[in-house]
Amino acid sequence: MLIGELASRTRTSERLLRYYERVGLLSAERRTNGYREYDAAAEQRVGQIRALLVAGLSTRVIRQLLPCTVDDGVLRACPGVLPALRDRLAELDRRAAALDTARDVLRRTIEETEQSR
């Protein structure tokens, strides 16, 4: 399929698809006229990329993880996969804790300010 069709099917801009290709997340064959042609698996691959980006993984990490996916899109435990996922989860946990602390401080500040009126 051409880039426009892939973009439409995945609700992803053509520009973003070109970026995915440039950073090694997606590949396409080139027709004689220079147009990109993606295989049928590209649609699922774009979905995987987007899901991993939503999970907060960098394109560098995603590039390492994608070869570990099986046909149904599930990651299998090839070298480096679990440590990369655990590292990201730990970072998200740290950020969530920091946000919880900030929210608590802001809530107390609001309560104290309301009481001093």
Side-chain angles (χ1 to χ4, degrees):
M1 79 187 85
L2 297 177
I3 194 168
E5 183 178 356
L6 181 60
S8 177
R9 286 184 178 195
T10 60
R11 297 181 178 169
T12 304
S13 71
E14 291 180 18
R15 182 178 178 190
L16 196 52
L17 293 173
R18 285 187 208 96
Y19 170 75
Y20 292 163
E21 190 174 340
R22 192 170 57 253
V23 298
L25 301 179
L26 191 62
S27 62
E29 297 294 321
R30 290 289 186 152
R31 290 182 170 184
T32 55
N33 61 6
Y35 289 7
R36 290 171 172 85
E37 185 163 11
Y38 297 93
D39 62 19
E43 188 175 348
Q44 180 179 341
R45 181 163 221 156
V46 170
Q48 292 169 329
I49 293 165
R50 299 202 39 140
L52 293 169
L53 286 168
V54 166
L57 297 174
S58 69
T59 56
R60 180 186 55 78
V61 171
I62 293 170
R63 190 173 49 249
Q64 295 170 336
L65 297 181
L66 284 176
C68 299
T69 58
V70 290
D71 291 338
D72 61 0
V74 175
L75 283 172
R76 63 179 185 264
C78 54
V81 169
L82 288 174
L85 296 176
R86 286 185 178 122
D87 287 349
R88 183 59 188 154
L89 180 59
E91 174 61 25
L92 289 174
D93 287 342
R94 284 190 292 277
R95 289 174 54 194
L99 285 171
D100 284 343
T101 299
R103 185 180 56 221
D104 291 343
V105 168
L106 184 56
R107 188 174 287 129
R108 274 195 314 274
T109 302
I110 290 169
E111 288 170 0
E112 291 168 0
T113 303
E114 287 175 340
Q115 290 173 3
S116 68
R117 286 200 249 181

